[in-house]
Amino acid sequence: MVTPSAPAPTLAFVESPVQLLNVLEWAHARGAGRLLGVVPRQPARGGGTGPGPAGVSGSAAPDAVQGLRIVVLPPTDPMSRGQLRRMAGLARDEGHEVRWQEARGGRFAPVKAFAALAREVRAAERVVIGDPFSRYVQLLLTLVRAEELVVVDDGTATMEFVAQTARGERLVRWHRVGGGGLPGRLRELAYAPVSATARRRFTPGPDGRRRVEVFSSMPVTAHSGMTVRLNDFAWTRARFGPPRLTKGTDLVGTSLVETGVVDPDRYLEAVRALTLEHGATRYFAHRRESPEKLRVLSEATGLEIVRPDLPLELIARRGPVGRTIVSFPSTVVHTLPYALIGTGVTVAVCDVDPSWLTPSASERARGFLAGVTDTARDVHRLPAQTAQAAG
């Protein structure tokens, strides 16, 4: 165990419960994983992992991670903070050091956190990050001297990250809409040097001295010397379950309304239709869904609203869980088939009809959501018109 005062060889930064889960998965897989050109197809329900694309071969992974310190940069919402504290407890149980560093919620909190972390960031031999789009993480990357940078999944954003870096584009979240007028443009201009430095850090060095790895369950392809390591949720499967299955269907909530992508009324209609069509009894809320929205959903559908205290991959693996899990396009349509290998659970995804999108949704939102669904493997696909049947 590394003492708190000494810099850790491996320093990880996480801002959400799922990012912390994926750091634990990465640490677990480091000693036994394979480096791949692409992430292979997801495992069949019987338990085996399907073959990767032709011509892709695995190489032996390095030794297990030693001296991992996980720095939690928590958001301000209580739901996320609660899940992060529980995940931090699991990380400590695994023998990893966890440091809770407030970087939000106060005028000077970001500056104080940056100053407190500067020495550790400069000294780290390997840096692991969970959200390459985070401006605060990008700011920390300006201090990084490590020769190895690892990006673990932050949900479907990983797909956009790999695509944008392959094209050499500025890193912008898929659902973000430009705006802010002149002040917004000035902020972007002032931040441009930080963003440019982050993009360079995410580019492997031609001499192999700067290595970039993506640890992912998403359908991504390595480029420009980048390596991809499969996240098949081996740690989750080793620590939890198998779950007890119920006879009903569980619905998985999404934050597409909260991010301004999907119209609230259309979303309510879709959930009501799916509830009636599949006999759903429970609704696993996304940590960003508002209490008011969940109250309306419960009253309109009769669903039991469940606010998970851990990421859904752990909740589902721990059980009990429905024999069918229905989700809109989101991270879980890629991760749950791995986490639930061999359990007999069917994961289904409901398409988002373009008419559900709000006028303010970004131009790329439609294509991105369709891509999330199209690339999901070993899931049952539900047409959007199923949800449109409600009214």
Side-chain angles (χ1 to χ4, degrees):
M1 178 73 68
V2 179
T3 61
S5 59
T10 300
L11 196 61
F13 294 101
V14 299
E15 299 174 287
S16 75
V18 168
Q19 292 173 30
L20 181 42
L21 168 59
N22 288 324
V23 169
L24 295 182
E25 292 288 353
W26 170 80
H28 179 81
R30 188 72 178 187
R34 290 183 300 152
L35 293 176
L36 308 172
V38 298
V39 171
R41 72 175 281 109
Q42 291 170 347
R45 229 171 266 132
T49 301
V56 177
S57 59
S59 61
D63 293 336
V65 177
Q66 300 294 328
L68 170 61
R69 178 177 296 155
I70 303 171
V71 179
V72 179
L73 303 168
T76 57
D77 68 283
M79 186 74 174
S80 297
R81 293 172 73 89
Q83 286 194 14
L84 272 168
R85 291 195 183 280
R86 291 175 179 87
M87 286 303 305
L90 292 177
R92 292 188 180 100
D93 290 343
E94 293 297 306
H96 303 305
E97 182 185 345
V98 180
R99 173 175 172 178
W100 191 275
Q101 181 69 58
E102 296 288 353
R104 298 174 177 85
R107 183 177 179 182
F108 299 107
V111 176
K112 290 180 179 178
F114 186 81
L117 294 169
R119 175 173 172 265
E120 291 185 71
V121 174
R122 291 191 184 98
E125 299 170 7
R126 180 194 293 119
V127 172
V128 183
I129 66 169
D131 183 5
F133 293 96
S134 165
R135 291 199 165 186
Y136 197 79
V137 168
Q138 290 182 8
L139 186 61
L140 290 171
L141 285 177
T142 63
L143 304 176
V144 168
R145 298 173 181 172
E147 294 184 355
E148 184 177 0
L149 183 63
V150 180
V151 179
V152 301
D153 268 339
D154 184 33
T156 51
T158 307
M159 298 165 61
E160 193 75 346
F161 163 71
V162 173
Q164 289 180 11
T165 52
R167 297 190 296 262
E169 297 176 352
R170 186 168 61 95
L171 295 177
V172 180
R173 298 185 193 276
W174 66 269
H175 55 76
R176 184 178 175 187
V177 180
L182 180 59
R185 290 194 293 272
L186 290 175
R187 285 193 298 270
E188 290 295 327
L189 185 62
Y191 187 76
V194 174
S195 179
T197 299
R199 289 200 304 274
R200 288 194 296 271
R201 291 287 187 271
F202 291 128
T203 304
D207 56 0
R209 293 185 60 185
R210 187 172 66 246
R211 303 181 300 278
V212 178
E213 174 188 322
V214 175
F215 180 71
S216 181
S217 302
M218 301 296 119
V220 295
T221 302
H223 64 82
S224 306
M226 178 184 291
T227 57
V228 175
R229 188 183 303 275
L230 172 64
N231 178 7
D232 63 358
F233 286 87
W235 178 82
T236 294
R237 289 184 280 113
R239 296 296 184 272
F240 297 89
R244 177 175 64 84
L245 305 187
T246 67
K247 295 181 180 180
T249 294
D250 292 330
L251 299 185
V252 178
T254 174
S255 60
L256 290 174
V257 171
E258 282 70 18
T259 53
V261 175
V262 169
D263 178 81
D265 292 334
R266 294 299 183 96
Y267 184 76
L268 175 60
E269 293 172 4
V271 172
R272 183 189 292 120
L274 289 171
T275 301
L276 295 173
E277 178 77 15
H278 298 278
T281 57
R282 296 190 300 176
Y283 179 97
F284 286 98
H286 189 280
R287 59 189 175 84
R288 291 199 185 111
E289 289 187 271
S290 69
E292 176 61 21
K293 171 190 171 186
L294 295 175
R295 183 188 63 78
V296 172
L297 279 176
S298 179
E299 292 177 352
T301 63
L303 287 167
E304 175 191 356
I305 304 298
V306 179
R307 303 213 73 166
D309 59 354
L310 291 168
L312 189 59
E313 292 80 7
L314 300 185
I315 295 295
R317 184 71 195 182
R318 187 173 60 182
V321 67
R323 293 184 181 275
T324 301
I325 299 176
V326 178
S327 173
F328 295 97
S330 70
T331 303
V332 298
V333 303
H334 293 275
T335 60
L336 285 180
Y338 282 121
L340 296 172
I341 291 173
T343 62
V345 174
T346 297
V347 179
V349 56
C350 176
D351 288 329
V352 170
D353 191 275
S355 66
W356 300 357
L357 302 183
T358 64
S360 62
S362 66
E363 294 183 3
R364 73 176 91 180
R366 180 184 308 183
F368 184 81
L369 290 172
V372 171
T373 301
D374 292 342
T375 55
R377 298 179 182 271
D378 302 305
V379 300
H380 180 59
R381 188 163 179 174
L382 306 175
Q385 55 263 31
T386 299
Q388 288 181 317

